[in-house]
Amino acid sequence: MPSTAQATALNHVEQSAEDLSKACQTIFNFGETAWREYESAAWYVKRLREEGFAVEEGSAGMPTAFCAEWSNGDGPIIGMYAEYDAVPGNCQAATTYRTPRDGLGYQAGGHTDPHSGLGIAGLGGLLATKAAMKKHGIKGGLRFTGEPAEKVRGSKPIHAAAGYYDGLAAILSFHPFYMLPMCNTVRWDTHCGAAYSMVYRFICDAPETWGTTDTPIPQSHSAVRAPGANDALNMMYHASKSLRDSMLPHQGGWSISEAILTAGQATADNLPAGLAEIQYMMRTPDIAMAEQITAVLDRNAQAAADMTGCRWEKHWVCKSRPGLANHAIARTVWEAMVEVGPPIWDDRAKAIAREIQKNLGLAPMEDPFIPEMSRLIDPEAAEAILRHDLPPSQTNSTSDDYTDMTWHVPTARFYVARPALAAEPGVTYPSWVMNALGGIPATIDPMVQTAAKILAMSAVRLLEYDDARDAAMAEFQARTAQDPIPPLCDYDPPINFRWPEYVTTARGRDWWIPKDMDGA
């Protein structure tokens, strides 16, 4: 049974349901993407200050990050956080049919995970914990960080290296479920792995030096000219694709993806492009694999630059460590999850789901949601399923930058079901369906409410029960002492690249790809 203080926290979440729902809609409709979440961060900062928190804006040199603190006297400090970045090319309104948000095209940002619900659940749990601490005189404090650019694993390695997680008794990390069996459960042993990301920049600023013969007029049309930055990027792209199978063994759950940030400049006649940039993101079980891939990519960049008359630079976006398990704090959160129970979707939510199915030309289902959404799964049972397809030697799988927190403080990573539709055999839903369900209040609010309750109950338990905190800290100290990995971040926040964003011009406010260019 929950203590009186825990009951107060749960009641606070319930009483805040309408407020949290409106807040979730606000962040969903901002739809801002990595490193450009200006309105979202400003909204959180304003709200937290209204709630009595001292807030540092632009923490660790990241303009859309923040760190908020509140104290009720000397005692343990519990950490929580918000993410609020969306994904380019996923603009979807909170409707039962495919359409972008008003005034935008499909190429604009949209919430996929959805981080809009993740962050507001964190805020709900934070404020409920604060209310319980005040009412029942619980000593201690709360720290709430704003974490931009999660989709490129951006802020947490930077915050970690700058000390923003130091001195905490625990961190509670919530994420909407995104793969089975990690639904309504807590991670046990197999935490997320390492992630490296970098931007390779090719600059052709002396094309006249590439040729080997002199001409009377260096700019003559008959002169040999450097291929330039676009060709360098193209060679880098294809060389890395063709060598991908040689970069790592065929096991381990690793992946490499790339994105072209700029495609050079439009130039007249036969002048070479002066600048081109390509970003790589890799997910690996361990750091050694990430370093091996990086060495190959560096070599490819050098070769591409040599062949095209360019020089090259490497700029880090992310270097995050693999995650560290902590059974003691996982048990504390699991006990809270059992007490709260899974989210439940009512008849309004089911009617919306059936309307989506009907709009897709499918027969509406009596129970349109997947059954796992309203079931709990024991962490060790989920672990056994997760391990089934992994090599025994692999200790981490997939990636997420919460892992950097695990090296500074006992951290629990838990998942609560987000709305997801069941399907008949052979049916695959388009991606906009999940995005829309993450923005419609009737379908996303159950997740937000449930996650906020679990966060609040877990936080209050950790503040009330010395033995729970002590066990988590003892396990943390033992695990970090076995094979310590210090922060890997040795780079400045990568905020100045041409990241996709909203822009304001004489034509008004728009996504950087105008809406009439994407078939809207």
Side-chain angles (χ1 to χ4, degrees):
M1 291 292 294
S3 68
T4 305
Q6 292 164 33
T8 295
L10 295 178
N11 183 65
H12 188 277
V13 174
E14 292 176 357
Q15 295 298 316
S16 303
E18 184 176 353
D19 176 57
L20 295 177
S21 180
K22 291 178 179 178
C24 191
Q25 289 298 293
T26 296
I27 303 300
F28 179 86
N29 286 316
F30 284 152
E32 297 173 300
T33 53
W35 304 116
R36 301 294 185 259
E37 313 95 330
Y38 301 111
E39 290 183 300
S40 302
W43 185 93
Y44 274 103
V45 167
K46 181 175 183 293
R47 178 64 185 273
L48 288 162
R49 283 174 174 161
E50 291 171 350
E51 296 288 348
F53 284 75
V55 185
E56 175 192 356
E57 297 183 72
S59 50
M62 297 177 283
T64 54
F66 61 82
C67 181
E69 299 209 51
W70 177 84
S71 176
N72 203 36
D74 291 338
I77 303 171
I78 304 299
M80 303 182 207
Y81 63 87
E83 294 169 8
Y84 31 82
D85 60 319
V87 182
N90 281 268
C91 184
Q92 170 62 36
T95 62
T96 58
Y97 53 92
R98 187 181 186 230
T99 188
R101 300 193 310 281
D102 287 346
L104 296 168
Y106 292 113
Q107 293 301 321
H111 285 279
T112 56
D113 275 342
H115 289 170
S116 46
L118 184 161
I120 296 304
L123 180 68
L126 178 84
L127 298 181
T129 304
K130 173 176 173 278
M133 292 173 70
K134 287 186 67 175
K135 182 174 181 179
H136 299 279
I138 299 172
K139 299 299 182 184
L142 298 171
R143 185 179 301 168
F144 192 71
T145 50
E147 305 288 355
E150 189 281 330
K151 302 305 291 186
V152 294
R153 310 293 183 263
S155 67
K156 299 184 193 74
I158 296 171
H159 268 152
Y164 282 84
Y165 308 137
D166 296 344
L168 297 174
I171 287 179
L172 301 172
S173 173
F174 154 66
H175 198 284
F177 111 89
Y178 59 93
M179 66 177 185
L180 296 176
M182 309 311 293
C183 181
N184 300 322
T185 193
V186 188
R187 276 200 182 260
W188 194 244
D189 280 316
T190 308
H191 279 255
C192 291
Y196 274 27
S197 179
M198 67 285 281
V199 172
Y200 288 93
R201 173 182 286 169
F202 296 98
I203 308 107
C204 185
D205 48 12
E208 69 280 357
T209 65
W210 188 75
T212 58
T213 59
D214 294 330
T215 58
I217 305 174
Q219 289 77 24
S220 168
H221 285 277
S222 63
V224 173
R225 275 183 175 76
N230 282 352
D231 284 45
L233 185 149
N234 188 52
M235 290 180 181
M236 176 73 175
Y237 176 86
H238 286 286
S240 300
K241 282 278 193 185
S242 66
L243 293 176
R244 182 164 296 180
D245 287 346
S246 302
M247 291 183 184
L248 285 175
H250 290 277
Q251 66 175 23
W254 60 276
S255 67
I256 312 170
S257 58
E258 60 283 303
I260 296 172
L261 297 186
T262 60
Q265 296 75 49
T267 55
D269 200 11
N270 62 345
L271 301 179
L275 172 69
E277 296 169 338
I278 184 168
Q279 177 195 5
Y280 285 90
M281 164 66 79
M282 64 194 78
R283 303 178 180 207
T284 63
D286 56 47
I287 293 170
M289 288 184 177
E291 291 285 354
Q292 183 172 335
I293 299 171
T294 301
V296 176
L297 292 175
D298 285 355
R299 190 168 59 216
N300 291 351
Q302 182 65 59
D306 288 343
M307 293 175 68
T308 57
C310 295
R311 56 188 177 88
W312 67 281
E313 301 170 350
K314 180 173 68 178
H315 300 270
W316 286 103
V317 176
C318 161
K319 286 196 282 188
S320 65
R321 294 166 279 184
L324 200 63
N326 192 300
H327 293 168
I329 193 171
R331 286 192 192 96
T332 296
V333 174
W334 173 244
E335 290 167 1
M337 184 174 283
V338 170
E339 193 72 46
V340 172
I344 302 296
W345 280 266
D346 60 18
D347 290 340
R348 288 184 310 133
K350 291 178 180 178
I352 287 168
R354 293 189 195 105
E355 186 175 337
I356 290 175
Q357 291 174 328
K358 181 180 178 181
N359 289 339
L360 289 170
L362 303 172
M365 304 172 73
E366 181 179 353
D367 191 352
F369 295 113
I370 64 171
E372 289 86 353
M373 285 167 42
S374 293
R375 299 174 185 165
L376 300 180
I377 179 169
D378 181 273
E380 292 181 83
E383 173 74 16
I385 297 171
L386 186 65
R387 295 293 323 173
H388 182 74
D389 294 322
L390 296 177
S393 61
Q394 183 179 331
T395 57
N396 298 84
S397 178
T398 189
S399 73
D400 189 301
D401 63 353
Y402 82 89
T403 53
D404 260 86
M405 296 172 165
T406 68
W407 290 94
H408 294 256
V409 59
T411 303
R413 174 69 161 186
F414 72 94
Y415 302 88
V416 173
R418 58 173 297 178
L421 298 187
E424 299 291 347
V427 172
T428 300
Y429 290 103
S431 59
W432 70 260
V433 172
M434 287 283 275
N435 298 349
L437 289 170
I440 299 171
T443 55
I444 194 60
D445 287 354
M447 182 203 77
V448 173
Q449 283 278 303
T450 301
K453 289 179 179 179
I454 295 167
L455 285 164
M457 177 172 273
S458 300
V460 175
R461 285 185 177 214
L462 288 165
L463 289 165
E464 288 187 304
Y465 304 153
D466 294 349
D467 56 343
R469 287 197 318 277
D470 293 345
M473 185 58 71
E475 182 175 351
F476 167 77
Q477 291 171 342
R479 289 183 183 270
T480 52
Q482 287 178 357
D483 189 15
I485 304 177
L488 302 177
C489 176
D490 55 2
Y491 49 90
D492 293 329
I495 58 177
N496 293 320
F497 288 96
R498 188 65 170 98
W499 302 112
E501 62 183 324
Y502 297 94
V503 295
T504 300
T505 70
R507 300 181 300 278
R509 186 175 186 269
D510 203 351
W511 184 244
W512 75 307
I513 301 174
K515 60 179 176 292
D516 59 356
M517 294 294 289
D518 62 3

